[in-house]
């Protein structure tokens, strides 16, 4: 069943109004008809509904709520990915796949070894595009939220106080494995974890010192060196496996 997101003001009693690009997608791509069922999620609350289409127009599709879905696919593990900005095609893959895994927020980070250069206008366009990629991935993976793609920050803007733990994937860490660090966290009902991944060139020594002073923990993801677009997915997936209900 196809899934779409709406805002609170598009829900009125037992009716939900689908607007924007989704109208064309439902009508002309999926070629859905009246009485077809659609799953709709309130992106502001995470509430899900099974609905049926009752009317079409050029700019709007009206659906009637059949039932509310009680279960949620969202995790008790709240992961924020601080991603050193790589080349843009890699960033798109990172956002898509980490959304599928279950990451709740992705923050692009300018680091010393970031290759690409962004002015404010380009950055705003990229954020808009990346947010759209997260939305499409959230629909496809049947998420109950669309992960937020935050504005680009600098490494020193990360603060540990917002998280139970800040975990840094570091290729020179040889002893402290990710699994060991996660065992220290086990036993809570909910978790709020930040992970930090460097860009293509890795994290510089100066940045390592900044993260150490912040109180971050450095972990190894194994014997092999992973690409920047792979590391976050592997790390997020392992965190979910170890801590998720």
């Amino acid at each position: 069943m196809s899934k779409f997101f709406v805002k609170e003001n598009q829900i009125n009693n037992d009716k939900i109004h689908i607007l924007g690009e989704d109208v064309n997608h439902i009508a002309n791509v999926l070629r859905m008809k009246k009485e077809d069922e659609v799953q709709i999620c309130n992106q502001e609350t995470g509430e899900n509904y099974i609905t049926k289409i009752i009317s079409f127009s050029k700019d709007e599709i009206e659906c009637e709520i059949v039932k509310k879905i009680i279960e949620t696919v969202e995790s008790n593990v709240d992961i924020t990915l601080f991603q050193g900005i790589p080349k843009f095609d890699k960033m798109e893959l990172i956002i898509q796949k980490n959304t599928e895994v279950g990451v709740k927020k992705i923050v692009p980070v300018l680091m010393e070894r970031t290759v690409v250069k962004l002015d404010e206008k380009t950055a705003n366009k990229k954020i808009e595009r990346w947010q759209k990629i997260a939305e499409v991935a959230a629909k496809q993976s049947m998420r109950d939220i669309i992960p937020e793609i935050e504005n680009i920050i600098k490494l020193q803007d990360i603060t540990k106080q917002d998280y139970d733990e800040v975990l840094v994937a570091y290729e020179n860490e040889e002893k402290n494995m990710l699994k060991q660090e996660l065992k220290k966290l086990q036993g809570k009902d909910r978790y709020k974890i930040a992970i930090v991944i460097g860009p293509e060139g890795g994290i510089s020594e100066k940045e390592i010192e900044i993260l150490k002073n912040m109180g971050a923990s450095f972990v190894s993801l194994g014997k092999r060196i992973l690409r920047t677009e792979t590391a976050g997915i592997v790390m997020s997936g392992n965190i979910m496996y170890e801590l998720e209900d």
Side-chain angles (χ1 to χ4, degrees), residues 79-93:
I79 298 176
T80 296
L81 168 61
F82 289 95
Q83 174 65 52
I85 301 174
K87 293 177 182 177
F88 292 140
D89 56 339
K90 293 181 180 180
M91 191 65 180
E92 293 180 5
L93 177 67

Side-chain angles (χ1 to χ4, degrees), residues 3-203:
K3 183 169 186 173
F4 296 90
F5 289 89
V6 298
K7 295 181 179 179
E8 182 81 38
N9 61 11
Q10 291 170 245
I11 303 172
N12 185 12
N13 296 322
D14 64 341
K15 301 294 191 301
I16 300 178
H17 301 269
I18 297 175
L19 308 170
E21 295 177 1
D22 289 337
V23 174
N24 178 66
H25 188 73
I26 291 171
N28 300 318
V29 179
L30 298 177
R31 297 188 179 279
M32 300 185 78
K33 302 181 174 105
K34 287 183 182 179
E35 301 297 318
D36 283 347
E37 290 193 338
V38 180
Q39 184 173 335
I40 298 177
C41 179
N42 181 338
Q43 69 182 63
E44 295 173 33
T45 66
E47 295 176 316
N48 282 276
Y49 305 91
I50 300 295
T51 72
K52 66 177 180 180
I53 297 172
I54 58 175
S55 70
F56 285 87
S57 71
K58 182 181 177 181
D59 302 315
E60 178 181 311
I61 294 174
E62 186 176 28
C63 300
E64 183 176 64
I65 295 173
V66 176
K67 66 177 180 179
K68 184 176 180 180
I69 300 173
I70 303 302
E71 299 83 6
T72 179
V73 303
E74 292 304 317
S75 177
N76 61 310
V77 185
D78 184 331
I79 298 176
T80 296
L81 168 61
F82 289 95
Q83 174 65 52
I85 301 174
K87 293 177 182 177
F88 292 140
D89 56 339
K90 293 181 180 180
M91 191 65 180
E92 293 180 5
L93 177 67
I94 288 165
I95 290 167
Q96 181 189 62
K97 297 307 176 186
N98 279 282
T99 295
E100 292 176 17
V101 169
V103 168
K104 292 191 176 174
K105 188 183 293 183
I106 299 172
V107 186
V109 184
L110 279 174
M111 295 188 177
E112 281 191 30
R113 295 172 181 167
T114 296
V115 176
V116 296
K117 304 300 178 185
L118 291 166
D119 57 34
E120 185 176 352
K121 183 178 179 181
T122 303
N124 290 337
K125 286 184 178 179
K126 287 296 179 184
I127 295 293
E128 186 177 336
R129 175 167 172 76
W130 292 339
Q131 188 65 65
K132 186 62 181 176
I133 289 169
E135 179 181 347
V136 172
K139 290 176 182 176
Q140 291 174 338
S141 54
M142 304 298 280
R143 293 284 301 270
D144 291 342
I145 65 162
I146 301 170
E148 181 183 357
I149 312 301
E150 290 202 344
N151 290 328
I152 296 168
I153 66 168
K154 295 180 180 178
L155 185 75
Q156 51 265 38
D157 295 329
I158 303 172
T159 54
K160 187 177 185 296
Q161 64 188 22
D162 295 330
Y163 305 97
D164 298 323
E165 190 63 273
V166 176
L167 301 173
V168 183
Y170 185 39
E171 61 190 47
N172 292 330
E173 177 58 52
E174 296 178 353
K175 296 180 179 179
N176 192 34
M177 305 301 291
L178 175 61
K179 188 171 185 177
Q180 293 172 249
E181 204 62 42
L182 294 178
K183 281 183 177 178
K184 300 176 186 178
L185 295 172
Q186 287 177 340
K188 297 182 178 182
D189 293 328
R190 301 194 67 81
Y191 303 88
K192 193 170 184 184
I193 297 172
I195 62 178
V196 181
I197 306 293
E200 288 96 339
I203 303 173

Side-chain angles (χ1 to χ4, degrees), residues 200-217:
E200 288 96 339
I203 303 173
S204 72
E205 291 302 318
K206 181 180 176 182
E207 290 168 331
I208 291 297
E209 288 304 313
I210 291 172
L211 291 163
K212 281 182 181 177
N213 292 334
M214 182 195 305
S217 299

